[in-house]
Amino acid sequence: MLSLPPTVRIFVALEPVDLRKGFDGLANVARTVLAENPLSGHLFVFLNRRGNRAKILFWDRSGWCIYYKRLERGRFRLRRRSELGEGKVELEAAELLLILEGIDLEGARRQPRWQAKKSTSRACTTATS
């Protein structure tokens, strides 16, 4: 189970990346192609051309880390949610976990989330007995 704080963002490169690249090569892809700072502590996900291998690069305050996964069958499937011309999509941690398990999220639907209503500037009053 991957447990991430809510401040960590997850960026996935939409174009295939040569996964022979190591720490510095993937950090350069994050900087140039994804236009993100690889030292930010966010996760950067890269897939190979066949879509059966994934590398996740992140910085953990003391050095680079890479998580590498190969699916024995199937491919990693991403929903194409980016704006035209963007080379990345942003995922939530739950989506990343499902994708890493080989689950296709193409037909999945997210239920509307609860959001607090914007409050007016009314003062709260409490009744005292």
Side-chain angles (χ1 to χ4, degrees):
M1 179 70 180
L2 184 65
S3 177
L4 298 172
T7 56
V8 173
R9 298 170 68 188
I10 302 166
F11 298 103
V12 182
L14 291 178
E15 293 299 316
V17 174
D18 181 0
L19 294 187
R20 294 177 292 182
K21 293 179 187 285
F23 299 106
D24 297 326
L26 292 175
N28 190 44
V29 171
R31 199 173 0 265
T32 58
V33 175
L34 303 181
E36 295 291 337
N37 178 8
L39 297 172
S40 63
H42 301 312
L43 275 60
F44 301 95
V45 182
F46 306 98
L47 303 175
N48 66 343
R49 187 186 320 216
R50 288 193 290 177
N52 67 338
R53 296 173 191 226
K55 275 189 178 180
I56 302 174
L57 175 75
F58 60 98
W59 177 262
D60 77 348
R61 296 185 326 175
S62 62
W64 293 110
C65 295
I66 290 182
Y67 174 84
Y68 193 13
K69 178 149 185 180
R70 178 182 73 187
L71 288 178
E72 293 300 321
R73 278 192 184 174
R75 306 174 72 177
F76 296 109
R77 304 268 183 198
L78 296 173
R79 275 193 270 187
R80 304 281 181 185
R81 297 185 318 197
S82 71
E83 296 297 320
L84 192 61
E86 284 210 27
K88 65 184 175 193
V89 292
E90 188 172 350
L91 297 179
E92 293 184 14
E95 291 174 310
L96 177 62
L97 289 175
L98 292 171
I99 290 169
L100 289 176
E101 287 299 317
I103 296 173
D104 185 358
L105 299 179
E106 188 61 39
R109 249 181 3 130
R110 179 175 293 284
Q111 295 296 323
R113 292 187 168 195
W114 179 85
Q115 291 182 351
K117 292 181 182 178
K118 292 185 179 182
S119 63
T120 58
S121 342
R122 287 192 268 172
C124 293
T125 58
T126 57
T128 57
S129 302

